[in-house]
Amino acid sequence: MPAQPLQRPMAPTQGQSPQPLQQGMPAYQQQQPAQQLPPQRPMYAQPPTSQPQGYSGVAGLTQQMGGMSMGQPGMAASPPPPPGSQAQKPRTRRVYPTAASPPASGPPAASGYPPTSDMQAPGYPGTCVPGYPSPAGAPITGPQTFVPGAQAPAPMPNAGAAYARGPAGAPQPPAGAGQPQMPAAPYEPPKPRIDPGQMPTPISVHTHDQETHDQQPYSTALKTNVPMASTNFTAIDDGNSNPRFVRLTMYSVPHTEELLKASHMPLGMIVQPLAELAATEEPIKLIDFGDEGPIRCLRCKTYINPYMVFINGGKHFVCNICRHENDVPDDYFCNLDMVGRRLDREARPELHNGTVEFVATKDFVAREPQPVSFVFAIDVTWNAVQNGLVAQAAAAIKDALYSGPGLPAGAKVAIITYDRSAHFYSLSASLDQAQMMVVPDIHDMFVPINEGFAVDPQESRHVIEGLLDALPSMFAQNRTAEPVLGAVVQAAHEALRGRGGKLFIFQTALPTFGPGSLKQRDDPKLHNTDKERSLYEPQDSFYHDWAVKLVEEGVCCSLYTFPAAYMDLATLSQLSTVTGGELYTYPGFDGSRDGSRLAADLRADVERAYGANAVLRIRTSDGLRVDEHFGNLFMRNHVDVELAGVTSDSAIGALLQYDGRLDEKQDVYFQVALLYTTSDGQRRIRVHNLAVPCTTLIGAMFRNAEVDASMNLIAKVAVAEALTTPLKSIREKLSDRCVQILTAYRRNCASGSSPGQLILPEAYKLSPLYTLSLLKSPAIRGGADVPIDQRIYHMGLLRQLSVRKTVDYFYPTIVPVHALAGQQGELNEQTGLVELPQFARASYAMLDPAGAYLLTGDGSLILWLGRQVPAQFLQDALGVSSLEQVDIKQRALPELDTALSRKLLAIARQILPTRVGFASVQIIRQGMDQVEVQFASKLIEDRNSDNMTYVDYVCAVHRQIQVEVRPKGPVEPKWSYN
């Protein structure tokens, strides 16, 4: 039976009035109106007057797919389930077992990639459905509507065909040559396919958000419609904390737990307490209340903030968190105006700013705070000498200390080297050169230097520079291959006892000697099995126990690893995870190739804002509580988060839980307080306050949701569950969560739409893409080809990344640099930013063979050169005339005296804003270099990493949504998202 066309709304007959449209819903849904919402607030924003370049909306896609069906009841053209799927008996709980992915859309080219001419899905004209704008009409915002269909496989050749398909323009064999004559088959029109260019991507979404906030600063008093994490914006602190510090997963909090469960969205926050402000934003105000300290609620200890209400003529105030009535101290009293506000409100930052900082009193000082001490511990074993680590680490430390702004005022520096013994150095300014003292008894470790171990880097500069310059030659003949990492940790703990600081460890191999020695336990037979998660747990408790001791002394650890083989990062990373530090890894380190990246990482680590000996606590309105914390942290109880060190990039995730019912007539309040010691030795309390509306409408929840923060929190939860749950189950839960969220929106906000249409909420339109990217991440994806250490490293990344960096991790930035026009690549004096061209999609089919692209997403920088890139571009950018002359071993873009070279360098620095300059660049030539496979794995929209294409995944998600919304269905197909 031929497929029936989709039911379309009929035009009203004469004498019949058209039904009114529901706010925020497309016109084609008016025959079956969705659940009516109260009229006090429109459900979706009005369409903008302009749309970002490259965003074509959904009209063209709907026209292409106007005649397709996706399993609509009564229609016969439902697409088959993916290969390997089978029918399933009805059950009460829905599970998605793994099945094979759908077949590829065409035969691969000789290079391993589909031919460029065949990658782009063809357009198929269709009849315009009433209610849709024409392709050239006004752009669309609000819920996105798609009519997905399964990707039609490319036509397969006959049995005797010599070639499946030749390149475009190549001569084809004559009809019938080399194959038997077959009877003519009846003509069948080609099945329509989804045009990937019509799918929502971060490029169009972020560009639209950037254009919105380019026009005017963002006032935090709005409480909702916060700028996206990737947007360059200027925030005005009008009572709510800057979104750079605190981001909620939704800015309309449901009043009951039942409403939250109906939406399936996560409720939580991502806190980045020391995040850097934009240059155009006002600095945080510092307030000193003297010996008495800041005003606080007597019951819940909430700090004074703009949302506390003063009553009884200003003699009392009501806490916004617990509603307790407190007395106002006599020295803080002030009269109220006609509306009940204090007359001195504008003169007191704590009463009108969402973020302030208080000077801590003696009650918050356990020991006398001191300026931070930085201890650099360098592995000088045979491996470190051979791969160039000793020389590169010494050069990187020297660059971090004496290039640029350097260390904070008052900071101290110490240096340790180690192999089978530990080497300490006296760096006293009174010496002509450093004095080395060796401690061979690593089982009874002590620090043999009292004075001169930690010194001022400026006073002892001649000693420190002389030592760093001499280190490579001092250990050039070292043949020891066993680094005693455990003993070095013990020594650093002893040296920094009572003063705190930060420990930088440079380690090249698995520690197999001395305290904390480990065994080789990696077993390939466990990879990609349920037992693989045993390798995610520490081998023993040695490093965890000593990490806890470092926390007690306020010592944070950053671990730099340079593995040539298995290093058991699951065990060693406890040093950074527990103390609030970070884990860096450089597999197959080569000094000449990776030295610049190491130098940039270390310099950024040293120069960014740093706080020591920190404690963080999150307070919420009555009815909510923090259920769990995620990140690099340590907790002795369920309330206080202990951070031996906290930087401007440190991010903590908090999952919220209900204790009761919230009052929908009042806002929901949050306060984040961080007690810490600044790098120059001052004890401070930084307080972030947030107030958001409470709602009884699930539509308001979806409208004010924040997908970037939500996916960051979902990723952190997934990594935490990996220790107890098989990765296969976690992948199923991730896709299941995506389906449940979109199904909840379909049921509650778009119930009148056709079953063959996929309705994506505006705020969550990127959730399928981000979920697919997370499934392809080395931290989560299946396959035995992911090294365990690499998986652990990416798990650590997801655990510690901020929302801004997670956006880059989920979807790479690809900048076309072959056709820069006008001011592109030049600095904009008004914004202080480099003008960038429109970004390219993360798909091989979207890349021009005659183009050149800069790609970044994980901190690295790749310059991809198409096979047909013009010779003039190569000459102006790289100083060569052909692709064959390009030196792919060079790790820096040449600084040539050409306009293109200057623009290229400016763009490279712009798209890596978190680094000092950019670390290094890897040049890849299309079809010529084997590393292009690694480049292709970063293209999230393509089929790679044992997973679907973006289009296939959206189709699979839509099929599951149809199963969910179907009233009764005895058969539930399986689908694959491995």
Side-chain angles (χ1 to χ4, degrees):
M1 179 175 110
Q4 301 179 9
L6 290 177
Q7 297 180 0
R8 300 171 180 169
M10 303 297 294
T13 58
Q14 187 175 2
Q16 179 183 0
S17 300
Q19 297 183 11
L21 298 180
Q22 186 180 355
Q23 281 188 337
M25 306 304 297
Y28 61 84
Q29 297 173 4
Q30 58 183 331
Q31 293 302 312
Q32 296 178 350
Q35 178 182 354
Q36 295 294 327
L37 300 177
Q40 72 269 21
R41 187 183 300 175
M43 188 170 180
Y44 298 98
Q46 295 297 325
T49 57
S50 63
Q51 195 69 22
Q53 180 182 358
Y55 182 83
S56 55
V58 299
L61 178 62
T62 305
Q63 290 181 355
Q64 293 179 35
M65 311 307 295
M68 289 197 64
S69 168
M70 278 293 297
Q72 189 173 355
M75 295 190 180
S78 176
S85 63
Q86 49 185 308
Q88 186 174 349
K89 296 181 179 180
R91 57 186 176 219
T92 57
R93 183 175 182 273
R94 176 167 51 81
V95 182
Y96 297 127
T98 302
S101 300
S105 59
S111 62
Y113 304 106
T116 304
S117 59
D118 297 333
M119 290 289 290
Q120 178 68 32
Y124 290 85
T127 305
C128 186
V129 179
Y132 285 97
S134 63
I140 297 176
T141 59
Q144 298 291 291
T145 308
F146 302 95
V147 187
Q151 290 279 20
M156 298 303 294
N158 291 328
Y163 300 96
R165 175 183 292 180
Q172 302 295 329
Q179 61 184 15
Q181 294 293 331
M182 302 296 293
Y187 171 76
E188 294 183 2
K191 296 181 179 180
R193 300 173 60 191
I194 294 180
D195 180 4
Q198 303 287 347
M199 306 295 288
T201 64
I203 298 174
S204 57
V205 175
H206 294 168
T207 301
H208 174 62
D209 193 70
Q210 183 65 63
E211 292 176 351
T212 301
H213 292 94
D214 275 343
Q215 302 173 2
Q216 60 183 3
Y218 169 73
S219 172
T220 62
L222 297 176
K223 299 182 180 179
T224 57
N225 300 322
V226 299
M228 302 188 73
S230 58
T231 299
N232 295 314
F233 63 93
T234 298
I236 300 177
D237 190 343
D238 287 329
N240 257 7
S241 179
N242 193 317
R244 303 183 198 277
F245 298 121
V246 182
R247 280 190 178 269
L248 296 177
T249 58
M250 60 181 69
Y251 284 83
S252 288
V253 178
H255 74 301
T256 62
E257 185 175 10
E258 289 74 18
L259 186 59
L260 176 65
K261 290 182 177 179
S263 71
H264 294 280
M265 290 189 294
L267 176 59
M269 63 173 62
I270 306 297
V271 181
Q272 197 174 345
L274 297 184
E276 295 182 357
L277 293 171
T280 54
E281 296 173 341
E282 293 186 1
I284 298 174
K285 305 294 192 302
L286 178 63
I287 306 169
D288 189 355
F289 276 90
D291 295 337
E292 298 298 327
I295 309 298
R296 304 179 69 181
C297 174
L298 295 178
R299 176 188 291 175
C300 67
K301 302 301 181 182
T302 297
Y303 292 91
I304 188 73
N305 63 76
Y307 302 105
M308 287 185 170
V309 179
F310 290 85
I311 59 175
N312 299 333
K315 297 180 179 180
H316 301 88
F317 69 89
V318 179
C319 175
N320 60 310
I321 296 294
C322 68
R323 315 307 301 173
H324 178 67
E325 185 176 322
N326 299 267
D327 295 331
V328 175
D330 294 339
D331 59 349
Y332 197 71
F333 172 80
C334 182
N335 291 317
L336 307 182
D337 60 13
M338 298 296 294
V339 295
R341 297 188 304 178
R342 288 174 57 111
L343 295 176
D344 63 348
R345 180 178 182 274
E346 296 301 324
R348 291 191 175 273
E350 71 274 14
L351 297 181
H352 71 267
N353 286 140
T355 296
V356 294
E357 203 161 70
F358 300 109
V359 175
T361 61
K362 295 182 179 179
D363 297 335
F364 298 98
V365 180
R367 57 175 178 262
E368 189 65 25
Q370 300 181 19
V372 65
S373 296
F374 290 160
V375 178
F376 299 93
I378 307 174
D379 179 354
V380 292
T381 58
W382 185 83
N383 288 331
V385 173
Q386 294 301 310
N387 63 17
L389 170 62
V390 176
Q392 293 299 329
I397 295 173
K398 182 178 178 179
D399 179 71
L401 296 181
Y402 302 114
S403 297
L407 301 186
K412 305 291 185 180
V413 172
I415 298 176
I416 300 174
T417 57
Y418 62 97
D419 44 26
R420 286 177 65 96
S421 58
H423 320 133
F424 300 87
Y425 299 88
S426 176
L427 305 174
S428 176
S430 61
L431 300 174
D432 292 333
Q433 62 181 8
Q435 294 180 352
M436 182 173 72
M437 298 185 183
V438 180
V439 178
D441 188 1
I442 59 176
H443 295 284
D444 187 17
M445 182 55 60
F446 67 97
V447 180
I449 303 174
N450 292 327
E451 297 294 333
F453 175 72
V455 299
D456 186 288
Q458 297 302 326
E459 294 179 358
S460 301
R461 178 170 181 172
H462 65 286
V463 181
I464 296 175
E465 288 185 332
L467 173 61
L468 294 175
D469 292 339
L471 280 181
S473 59
M474 288 172 57
F475 298 97
Q477 304 302 320
N478 193 359
R479 294 297 181 264
T480 305
E482 298 167 319
V484 287
L485 177 60
V488 171
V489 173
Q490 294 172 338
H493 173 267
E494 180 67 24
L496 297 175
R497 183 191 298 272
R499 70 169 72 180
K502 188 165 185 177
L503 174 62
F504 301 83
I505 297 178
F506 302 85
Q507 178 79 8
T508 61
L510 181 74
T512 58
F513 180 75
S517 59
L518 302 175
K519 297 180 181 180
Q520 167 64 253
R521 61 168 178 159
D522 187 20
D523 186 358
K525 295 180 181 178
L526 300 180
H527 294 190
N528 204 32
T529 67
D530 291 349
K531 295 182 179 180
E532 184 185 60
R533 68 177 182 272
S534 64
L535 301 177
Y536 307 157
E537 300 175 353
Q539 190 172 145
D540 56 41
S541 63
F542 177 87
Y543 291 99
H544 179 274
D545 293 343
W546 276 99
V548 174
K549 294 180 181 179
L550 292 177
V551 172
E552 294 173 352
E553 299 298 331
V555 179
C556 173
C557 179
S558 282
L559 182 61
Y560 292 76
T561 62
F562 308 85
Y566 177 69
M567 282 188 62
D568 199 354
L569 292 185
T571 302
L572 300 183
S573 63
Q574 293 297 303
L575 293 172
S576 58
T577 301
V578 175
T579 63
E582 291 189 23
L583 172 65
Y584 301 83
T585 187
Y586 307 82
F589 180 81
D590 183 286
S592 60
R593 181 191 63 199
D594 304 318
S596 58
R597 178 187 168 196
L598 171 62
D601 285 340
L602 181 62
R603 185 172 172 184
D605 196 3
V606 168
E607 292 182 356
R608 61 186 171 181
Y610 178 77
N613 219 4
V615 178
L616 181 140
R617 176 177 289 192
I618 301 175
R619 296 178 173 91
T620 64
S621 292
D622 281 344
L624 286 177
R625 61 178 174 85
V626 179
D627 183 55
E628 199 168 355
H629 298 81
F630 304 94
N632 288 354
L633 49 86
F634 177 69
M635 298 190 69
R636 301 180 192 274
N637 53 55
H638 67 284
V639 176
D640 294 325
V641 177
E642 297 187 40
L643 302 165
V646 55
T647 70
S648 57
D649 293 323
S650 299
I652 307 298
L655 190 63
L656 302 178
Q657 186 61 267
Y658 280 81
D659 274 341
R661 184 187 183 98
L662 299 176
D663 186 356
E664 62 270 19
K665 298 180 181 179
Q666 296 183 352
D667 285 345
V668 183
Y669 301 99
F670 305 92
Q671 186 177 89
V672 180
L674 177 73
L675 172 66
Y676 73 106
T677 301
T678 63
S679 56
D680 57 356
Q682 301 183 38
R683 200 69 171 157
R684 303 276 182 83
I685 304 172
R686 180 169 292 194
V687 178
H688 304 288
N689 299 283
L690 207 61
V692 296
C694 183
T695 185
T696 60
L697 304 175
I698 194 171
M701 294 168 55
F702 276 101
R703 181 170 64 253
N704 294 315
E706 224 277 7
V707 68
D708 294 338
S710 298
M711 291 305 303
N712 180 288
L713 185 59
I714 288 175
K716 285 177 166 55
V717 173
V719 169
E721 293 177 346
L723 295 179
T724 58
T725 307
L727 289 181
K728 178 181 177 181
S729 299
I730 291 177
R731 292 192 293 270
E732 292 174 353
K733 291 175 66 175
L734 288 171
S735 284
D736 184 61
R737 186 70 173 269
C738 179
V739 169
Q740 289 173 340
I741 292 174
L742 298 181
T743 301
Y745 179 81
R746 177 64 170 263
R747 285 174 172 166
N748 297 280
C749 304
S751 58
S753 59
S754 169
Q757 296 171 336
L758 173 62
I759 310 295
L760 297 178
E762 172 67 17
Y764 259 78
K765 66 170 68 175
L766 297 179
S767 61
L769 178 59
Y770 284 169
T771 302
L772 177 63
S773 178
L774 187 55
L775 294 176
K776 292 183 177 183
S777 164
I780 303 296
R781 76 177 180 90
D785 60 328
V786 182
I788 294 300
D789 280 346
Q790 196 69 8
R791 193 183 294 279
I792 294 298
Y793 168 70
H794 281 271
M795 286 183 175
L797 270 183
L798 293 176
R799 185 189 302 113
Q800 72 191 26
L801 285 182
S802 62
V803 179
R804 177 64 184 91
K805 290 188 176 182
T806 307
V807 173
D808 294 334
Y809 185 88
F810 285 154
Y811 198 87
T813 299
I814 305 178
V815 184
V817 294
H818 54 278
L820 300 177
Q823 302 298 318
Q824 292 176 353
E826 299 180 0
L827 183 66
N828 187 320
E829 298 295 340
Q830 296 181 351
T831 63
L833 301 174
V834 176
E835 294 287 344
L836 299 177
Q838 181 72 29
F839 293 167
R841 297 275 294 270
S843 174
Y844 204 86
M846 304 292 181
L847 303 182
D848 186 357
Y853 299 83
L854 282 174
L855 179 145
T856 182
D858 56 359
S860 61
L861 189 66
I862 295 176
L863 175 61
W864 184 86
L865 301 174
R867 189 192 305 270
Q868 304 170 15
V869 64
Q872 187 62 46
F873 174 88
L874 297 175
Q875 186 67 45
D876 293 344
L878 302 176
V880 296
S881 58
S882 66
L883 282 177
E884 290 74 14
Q885 297 176 357
V886 174
D887 182 10
I888 62 174
K889 294 182 179 181
Q890 64 180 353
R891 287 297 179 264
L893 294 174
E895 299 185 12
L896 305 178
D897 189 18
T898 63
L900 179 60
S901 177
R902 290 189 290 269
K903 289 184 176 182
L904 204 59
L905 291 169
I907 292 175
R909 297 186 182 99
Q910 176 74 24
I911 61 179
L912 286 176
T914 59
R915 294 183 180 274
V916 182
F918 55 91
S920 62
V921 62
Q922 182 179 16
I923 300 178
I924 298 177
R925 301 168 296 180
Q926 182 185 19
M928 299 176 64
D929 302 320
Q930 294 182 354
V931 291
E932 191 178 12
V933 177
Q934 301 176 6
F935 168 80
S937 67
K938 300 177 183 293
L939 304 179
I940 300 302
E941 297 190 41
D942 292 340
R943 189 187 310 277
N944 50 36
S945 301
D946 297 328
N947 222 305
M948 301 180 184
T949 66
Y950 179 28
V951 173
D952 289 342
Y953 186 74
V954 169
C955 293
V957 167
H958 182 50
R959 285 195 293 269
Q960 297 305 319
I961 294 176
Q962 289 182 299
V963 173
E964 289 292 318
V965 300
R966 189 178 301 157
K968 290 183 180 180
V971 178
E972 179 181 324
K974 298 180 181 180
W975 58 301
S976 171
Y977 43 81
N978 259 343

